[in-house]
Amino acid sequence: MSEHGVRIQLDRVTKQYPRQPEPAVDNVSLDIPAGELVVFVGPSGCGKTTTMKMINRLIEPTSGEITIGGENVLALEPNELRTRIGYVIQQIGLFPHMTVRDNIAVVPRLLGWDKARITRRVDELLELVGLDPSAFRDRLPKQLSGGQQQRVGVARALAADPPVMLMDEPFGATDPITRDKLQNEFLRLQKELRKTIIFVTHDFDEAVKLGDRIAVLAEQSHVAQYDTPGRILAAPANDYVEGFVGSAAAIKQLGLMHVGMLTGLAELSATSGLPTVRSRENARDALDIMLRAGTSHVVVLDEQGDPRGVIGFEDIAGLLREEVSRVGQDA
Amino acid sequence: MSVKTLDTAYQVTPSRWSRRNLTVPIGLIAAVAVLWLWVSSLNLDSIEARVLNAEAVRRAVVDHILLAVSATLLVVAIAVPLGIMLTRRWAKPLVPVVMALANIGQAVPALGLLVLLALWFGIGFKIALIALVVTAVLPVLRNTVVGIQQVDQSLVEAARGMGMRASRILRLVELPLAVPVMLAGLRTTIVIAVGVATVATFVNAGGLGDIIVAGIKLQRTPVLITGGVLTAVIALGLDWLGGLAERLLRPKGV
Ligand SMILES: Nc1ncnc2c1ncn2[C@@H]1O[C@H](COP(=O)(O)OP(=O)(O)O)[C@@H](O)[C@H]1O
Ligand SMILES: [Mg+2]
């Protein structure tokens, strides 16, 4: 029903702004597999936005080649190219004088869809991002909370079912609780849609949480490391990446491991009084629950809420050791 | 939170019509009525009676409105496209030049301009119109430029990022969002045009200037007051219409 992502390749891409001593993006090559969510993470001013905007040609590269699904973007008509790339920015950019419906309908109208099809699509997208169509369709942006606006922003970017999405710090301006919620919903959505997404952030924890892969960028968009979150946490390529990972790398790694991954759960005995954790939650949550309850063990519940077993500190430490050695072998 | 509470929390629908909107026109009608009663109660001498006869006053009022409204329409026809053009990227270097010219147009005394134009091109309605347009063009021009420039650039970027062409962005995003500022400029232009139209009398183009000037020259206070009050009533009345347009045309949600 919806179109899955396609591969994006950047080949020795450089952007030199006029009257600047150095290129903002210098000779960057990246291969972004179809259907993956790749996060560009790096300090402010390192060239993340410039790199991203060259993909939909809001900024023209000075040199190098960019292909989407094998097609050279520089050979395409820019506006036509952009209707096939979803674009979400931090400021959201909903048009304040248009209803939610009209905002979402921008690209479908550009593509000449008929009214009935647009209506169906708008409602479908609102459902998809968790907003009741009958309640929200005719609202103006100012009648929405920040989180709701950002959802509409995502719906608008998805309107014509583009295979590729570019998202520039989309959740950067929201409060931590809303951001967490938006991130979770977004992950659920992406699991279903499998678009190729480039997601820019300066927040490494966000990168770890969302990314299938992370490109840690240094000055001029130089790729310091391009790998899965697990491998970046377990084996940072250099001091720069290590600095970015920050402290508590092991704890962050636990955030990537599901409790359900634990094999050989201890027998259920004397579980009364122990706290519980759901199997789809991560090892970091399990650890947190134990620390807060002041116990050394926690009961794992399956999806139905039935106890499956008990895990303790040693199991979690063992899991982490295994993961580190596994990543070490791969690398 | 239920949808209902959300609705009340975010509902911001400014009422577009209220009884207050009618205060101005009622006041203006009352002012004209008082003026009429006062003038009728006076024992007008033959000179006053000649200037203030109903037909002459009606003509002056109609001419005046015609002059001011034509000038305003011409200003819109010139300044809106010109202002839009000046906001295009390629026209950046032209902005200071055109703005300086428009500023000069507003600063130059209308009467002096009128005399110069009369010396070169003769007299009449068209000459008065040109002088009016030159004097009153700045507010619409400036507010068109500013109105478009003040549109949040992230909206323009979002529009470009979705594949909208410049012309479509202008029509669907920039202009609708610039409308309130542009209309504010229009109101200023109208008021200037009505005021300056009083000097049209010096190039024989009629209007309430005929009555005001006659009042001054003949030293007849009732004549002077009639001309002055009617000019003010027209200015305030057209400004009220402009305000009405501002309320009705302001895009929802802004
Ligand atoms: N239009 C521009 N003209 C000149 N320099 C620019 C322009 N846009 C960005 N830059 C510069 O390029 C560098 C990278 O900017 P940007 O891509 O926005 O970084 P990031 O998104 O990582 O914060 C910065 O040093 C910035 O000042
Ligand atoms: Mg940026």
Side-chain angles (χ1 to χ4, degrees), chain A residues 15-20 22-25 41-53 59 168-169 200-202 217-221:
Chain A
K15 175 64 190 184
Q16 169 75 56
Y17 285 113
R19 291 176 300 279
Q20 298 288 314
E22 294 188 315
V25 172
V41 65
S44 179
C46 75
K48 305 180 294 292
T49 297
T50 304
T51 306
M52 168 179 272
K53 283 193 192 168
I59 293 174
D168 196 349
E169 312 208 18
V200 164
T201 182
H202 57 256
L217 302 180
E219 289 300 293
Q220 304 182 298
S221 254

Side-chain angles (χ1 to χ4, degrees), chain B residues 19-71:
Chain B
R19 206 162 295 179
R20 236 189 38 222
N21 294 345
L22 293 178
T23 328
V24 171
I26 291 170
L28 293 179
I29 290 167
V32 172
V34 168
L35 179 70
W36 187 75
L37 287 174
W38 176 66
V39 171
S40 328
S41 74
L42 295 174
N43 255 329
L44 299 178
D45 63 29
S46 66
I47 296 171
E48 288 168 343
R50 183 156 48 78
V51 180
L52 291 183
N53 85 71
E55 177 50 28
V57 171
R58 195 193 59 81
R59 267 225 65 79
V61 167
V62 168
D63 282 356
H64 202 96
I65 293 177
L66 207 63
L67 204 55
V69 169
S70 314

Side-chain angles (χ1 to χ4, degrees), chain A residues 145-162:
Chain A
S145 69
Q148 289 165 346
Q149 288 184 20
Q150 197 52 270
R151 277 172 235 224
V152 174
V154 171
R156 181 171 72 170
L158 284 169
D161 200 19

Side-chain angles (χ1 to χ4, degrees), chain A residues 70 92 126 165 191 194 203 271 323:
Chain A
I92 312 179
L126 284 174
M165 299 256 283
K191 222 172 179 171
R194 304 264 26 133
D203 175 359
T271 58
E323 179 73 11

Side-chain angles (χ1 to χ4, degrees), chain B:
Chain B
M1 204 179 338
S2 78
V3 168
K4 194 122 218 148
T5 52
L6 264 182
D7 267 329
T8 39
Y10 291 103
Q11 207 71 25
V12 208
T13 328
S15 102
R16 286 170 180 234
W17 281 99
S18 73
R19 206 162 295 179
R20 236 189 38 222
N21 294 345
L22 293 178
T23 328
V24 171
I26 291 170
L28 293 179
I29 290 167
V32 172
V34 168
L35 179 70
W36 187 75
L37 287 174
W38 176 66
V39 171
S40 328
S41 74
L42 295 174
N43 255 329
L44 299 178
D45 63 29
S46 66
I47 296 171
E48 288 168 343
R50 183 156 48 78
V51 180
L52 291 183
N53 85 71
E55 177 50 28
V57 171
R58 195 193 59 81
R59 267 225 65 79
V61 167
V62 168
D63 282 356
H64 202 96
I65 293 177
L66 207 63
L67 204 55
V69 169
S70 314
T72 304
L73 291 179
L74 257 172
V75 163
V76 169
I78 294 165
V80 170
L82 185 63
I84 290 171
M85 193 202 81
L86 288 177
T87 60
R88 302 301 94 183
R89 221 178 311 174
W90 51 266
K92 273 253 160 67
L94 290 177
V95 176
V97 181
V98 178
M99 283 304 175
L101 285 177
N103 268 308
I104 291 170
Q106 177 153 319
V108 163
L111 191 55
L113 182 67
L114 205 61
V115 170
L116 279 181
L117 286 170
L119 285 176
W120 283 330
F121 305 110
I123 55 172
F125 182 81
K126 274 189 203 149
I127 295 301
L129 203 56
I130 292 170
L132 273 180
V133 168
V134 171
T135 324
V137 77
L138 181 65
V140 172
L141 183 62
R142 186 191 47 213
N143 283 31
T144 302
V145 173
V146 171
I148 292 174
Q149 280 174 345
Q150 53 88 49
V151 171
D152 185 349
Q153 281 313 293
S154 67
L155 298 180
V156 176
E157 156 143 354
R160 288 217 306 139
M162 285 187 284
M164 286 167 88
R165 276 161 220 287
S167 57
R168 199 178 174 96
I169 297 175
L170 178 68
R171 186 163 53 83
L172 296 183
V173 180
E174 291 174 298
L175 278 180
L177 294 174
V179 156
V181 178
M182 289 167 71
L183 285 173
L186 181 68
R187 282 176 76 173
T188 311
T189 284
I190 290 174
V191 173
I192 292 174
V194 173
V196 173
T198 50
V199 300
T201 181
F202 297 112
V203 288
N204 232 1
L208 288 164
D210 288 356
I211 295 178
I212 294 172
V213 170
I216 295 169
K217 274 202 294 213
L218 308 172
Q219 296 184 347
R220 293 296 190 280
T221 309
V223 176
L224 184 57
I225 287 178
T226 302
V229 169
L230 288 178
T231 307
V233 165
I234 293 172
L236 291 171
L238 290 179
D239 182 58
W240 176 77
L241 284 176
L244 204 63
E246 239 179 85
R247 269 193 299 278
L248 294 176
L249 297 178
R250 174 184 293 269
K252 280 183 294 179
V254 191

